[in-house]
Amino acid sequence: TWVQSGELMVNNTTGSGTGSGDVQVFENARLSGSGIIGGKVNVSAGGELAPGNGIGTMTINNDVNIPADASLQIDIDKNLSKNDLLQIGGTLDFNGTLLLNPSAETVLADGDVFKIIQGKITGTPQGVIPTSPGEGLQWDLSELVPAGNLKVTKATGLSQLNLSSQIYPNPVKDKLQIKCNENVDEIEVSVFNPVGNQISSASYRQTNAFEIDFSTFENGIYFLHLKTNNKSFVSKILKK
């Protein structure tokens, strides 16, 4: 089965929803659902595997390959104590991006643990989006291999830029204004769409205020990433 564009949602409850053969998910294509797949699944760079129909479990009774620049999307609803689960019968070789989508009501905290993968796992995610679960927090992948657990802990590495009250307007229609608490020698600014693709990037020097043009972006949710030499920040932005 080839998923060459758009989305293939598999929601069968018996057998294999894609037949007996292997499944190839190409760039700009998405394989999702809460069904069962019998063949091997290979996700090309730019493709996405998204367990669940809403929140649910996708079962793949074979090997799965998610290489660099491909992504695995996991929805999280902490209020309902639920999250997507990828259940593997073979081996998951995961070297792509882990794309996390917490519900609007979810507030993450130190000590949170989410079982997102069940089965044998090799590799290491290329990155996690959003890069931080919240101010003063960080993603802990120490139990992802081999236990399949995603943890939230207190940030011990880069300190966080305290910007949450100085990014406006949010929702944004055209120009997003950003003001830092202090002048920065250099700051890197990137905008990612919900599937983890970088759609805008820029660098600024010797400033504490700048703006980003959202006017050409489609309406929806984006992730704003700011990074200096020793500080980082991520924020969810809604374009209307």
Side-chain angles (χ1 to χ4, degrees):
T1 301
W2 284 9
V3 188
Q4 293 182 290
S5 63
E7 179 175 12
L8 174 62
M9 183 174 287
V10 179
N11 287 316
N12 60 305
T13 56
T14 60
S16 173
T18 55
S20 59
D22 296 346
V23 180
Q24 179 71 47
V25 183
F26 288 87
E27 182 181 9
N28 298 321
R30 189 173 194 254
L31 176 63
S32 66
S34 298
I36 304 167
I37 295 172
K40 295 180 180 179
V41 174
N42 183 63
V43 184
S44 300
E48 181 180 311
L49 183 63
N53 177 13
I55 287 183
T57 298
M58 174 184 283
T59 301
I60 301 176
N61 293 318
N62 215 311
D63 296 335
V64 178
N65 179 39
I66 304 177
D69 297 324
S71 60
L72 171 65
Q73 178 174 308
I74 299 292
D75 293 345
I76 297 172
D77 192 327
K78 182 179 172 182
N79 286 8
L80 297 178
S81 299
K82 292 182 178 181
N83 58 266
D84 288 335
L85 177 67
L86 178 61
Q87 188 163 297
I88 304 295
T91 298
L92 168 63
D93 187 16
F94 185 22
N95 297 286
T97 299
L98 180 58
L99 179 61
L100 302 172
N101 184 33
S103 67
E105 297 79 15
T106 293
V107 178
L108 298 168
D110 179 30
D112 287 342
V113 181
F114 304 97
K115 180 76 169 181
I116 61 173
I117 302 169
Q118 177 72 51
K120 185 178 179 181
I121 311 163
T122 61
T124 304
Q126 181 182 26
V128 182
I129 295 178
T131 55
S132 167
E135 184 175 350
L137 300 172
Q138 64 184 11
W139 302 113
D140 181 350
L141 304 181
S142 62
E143 294 184 6
L144 189 65
V145 179
N149 293 333
L150 172 70
K151 300 168 63 178
V152 178
T153 60
K154 290 182 179 179
T156 57
L158 299 175
S159 58
Q160 302 293 307
L161 287 169
N162 183 18
L163 296 169
S164 57
S165 63
Q166 300 180 62
I167 299 178
Y168 60 93
N170 189 12
V172 61
K173 183 177 180 181
D174 41 42
K175 304 291 186 180
L176 183 73
Q177 307 294 327
I178 302 172
K179 185 177 180 181
C180 304
N181 291 332
E182 57 188 29
N183 250 24
V184 291
D185 292 335
E186 183 175 5
I187 187 166
E188 298 175 8
V189 182
S190 303
V191 179
F192 292 82
N193 65 16
V195 298
N197 297 324
Q198 181 176 292
I199 59 173
S200 174
S201 64
S203 295
Y204 300 88
R205 296 176 180 271
Q206 299 296 328
T207 184
N208 73 330
F210 45 93
E211 65 180 25
I212 302 175
D213 186 4
F214 273 71
S215 62
T216 60
F217 299 170
E218 295 182 0
N219 292 347
I221 293 174
Y222 295 87
F223 295 99
L224 173 70
H225 295 243
L226 308 178
K227 184 178 180 181
T228 65
N229 287 334
N230 64 346
K231 298 179 181 180
S232 65
F233 180 81
V234 61
S235 180
K236 184 185 292 187
I237 305 296
L238 178 61
K239 165 65 191 305
K240 283 190 173 182

